[in-house]
Amino acid sequence: MADLTLAAAAPVTPAHSVLRRFLSLVLIHGVLIAGAIFMLAPFIWMLVTSIKPPAEIFNAEISLWPKQFYGIQNYGFALEKAPLLRFALNGVILCGGILIVQLLVAIPCAYALAKLNFPGRNALFVLVLLGLCIPVQVPAMPLYIALAQLGLLNTYFSMMVPFFLSVFAIFLFRQFFRSFPDDIINAARLDGMSEFEIVWRIVTPSAWPAIAAFSVFSAVAHWNDLYWPLIVISDTRLAPPPLGMMFFADAETGSNYGALTAAATILTAPLVIAFLVARRRFIDGITMTGVK
């Protein structure tokens, strides 16, 4: 007992402090590297499979680089048998159209909830929070019936319309706008600017980190969405990437997993490039560094 007391009271030397810090860094980086490998493993496996010949894909020997490079054949087959570039273009049109309308609707709503005083503001914000709990499957049936009666099935509009109002965007921008200085808004009002001008000319330019973060969330969600396009789209020419992949897998590939992963790589590439371009803004928006 006395030895333990003396050991506990012993001073921490600089060498011990450096060793403890080194072990802490090794542990933290080890966990982060293991998590990164776990997250990237499916993507890396998809890239490797897309350049392997069929005989090596299900080989018991695991290797990251194929013995025979078969990428030209797999990518050539995928591009020849399916309109993959058309599927990617449909994804760009779908994500771009949804995002533009979401921003046009959500930014004024968020500004009103954050900076304007009017009766029922808190109740409306509660409704926004409750809206986050409603999945897209709930209004699917009435929306489908309405679009069918209006003759709008098999159109880009039918894929976009359920997502034009994003309560998540309203919530995110409202939290960001709350940190915007009221003095600047009051000064703009004294200068004669309308609330509409204040929103788009003063407040919105300061919210680019939040807009970039939401844009990434929105693009990823709708680029990978299969549920709603599967309901309203039966025309192959209008299929977004996941639905196009399903058509391609059913009709052309069979057991040709090399061509299937090559098509998946082609359809994933635009999303990865967009994320890499916007990654700095995305991180700034997530961390909510506030108004500069």
Side-chain angles (χ1 to χ4, degrees):
M1 185 64 184
D3 294 341
L4 292 176
T5 304
L6 290 175
V12 178
T13 63
H16 288 163
S17 178
V18 171
L19 179 61
R20 185 181 302 174
R21 191 178 304 139
F22 174 76
L23 293 176
S24 176
L25 289 175
V26 169
L27 178 62
I28 293 173
H29 284 80
V31 172
L32 292 176
I33 291 173
I37 293 174
F38 178 77
M39 297 295 292
L40 290 175
F43 187 74
I44 294 173
W45 194 255
M46 178 185 71
L47 294 176
V48 172
T49 305
S50 69
I51 58 175
K52 281 185 175 181
E56 292 187 39
I57 292 176
F58 293 104
N59 197 331
E61 180 184 352
I62 299 177
S63 63
L64 286 180
W65 192 254
K67 296 177 182 177
Q68 178 188 358
F69 184 79
Y70 211 71
I72 297 176
Q73 291 85 343
N74 286 334
Y75 282 90
F77 180 86
L79 289 170
E80 179 185 356
K81 296 297 181 180
L84 298 179
L85 300 182
R86 177 60 185 263
F87 296 155
L89 177 62
N90 291 338
V92 172
I93 295 173
L94 176 65
C95 295
I98 291 174
L99 179 61
I100 290 172
V101 179
Q102 283 178 335
L103 294 178
L104 291 176
V105 174
I107 288 176
C109 292
Y111 172 78
L113 290 174
K115 293 299 182 183
L116 300 182
N117 292 319
F118 56 90
R121 186 181 70 168
N122 293 332
L124 286 176
F125 183 61
V126 171
L127 292 176
V128 169
L129 295 179
L130 292 176
L132 292 171
C133 306
I134 301 176
V136 68
Q137 290 82 3
V138 172
M141 183 58 72
L143 279 173
Y144 177 82
I145 295 173
L147 290 170
Q149 292 181 346
L150 294 173
L152 293 175
L153 295 178
N154 271 322
T155 61
Y156 288 119
F157 180 79
S158 64
M159 287 190 285
M160 297 177 186
V161 67
F163 310 104
F164 281 161
L165 176 61
S166 171
V167 289
F168 173 70
I170 295 174
F171 171 76
L172 181 67
F173 295 147
R174 186 253 187 192
Q175 298 303 106
F176 196 91
F177 290 161
R178 288 186 65 189
S179 62
F180 193 89
D182 291 334
D183 293 341
I184 297 178
I185 296 176
N186 292 330
R189 289 170 180 158
L190 290 175
D191 287 340
M193 295 183 70
S194 65
E195 296 295 334
F196 187 81
E197 291 176 307
I198 293 173
V199 170
W200 296 110
R201 294 178 58 186
I202 296 180
V203 178
T204 301
S206 70
W208 278 115
I211 293 173
F214 173 73
S215 299
V216 171
F217 283 128
S218 176
V220 171
H222 300 298
W223 185 277
N224 295 321
D225 182 28
L226 175 63
Y227 172 75
W228 184 248
L230 185 61
I231 293 176
V232 297
I233 295 297
S234 58
D235 189 346
T236 307
R237 295 173 301 172
L238 298 176
L243 190 58
M245 277 296 300
M246 194 180 73
F247 290 152
F248 177 56
D250 290 343
E252 301 293 346
T253 61
S255 60
N256 191 349
Y257 292 98
L260 191 62
T261 52
T265 302
I266 293 172
L267 293 178
T268 307
L271 202 59
V272 175
I273 294 172
F275 174 76
L276 293 177
V277 170
R279 69 185 189 282
R280 179 172 296 179
R281 292 287 189 180
F282 175 73
I283 294 172
D284 289 343
I286 292 297
T287 53
M288 289 291 184
T289 53
V291 180
K292 301 291 189 291

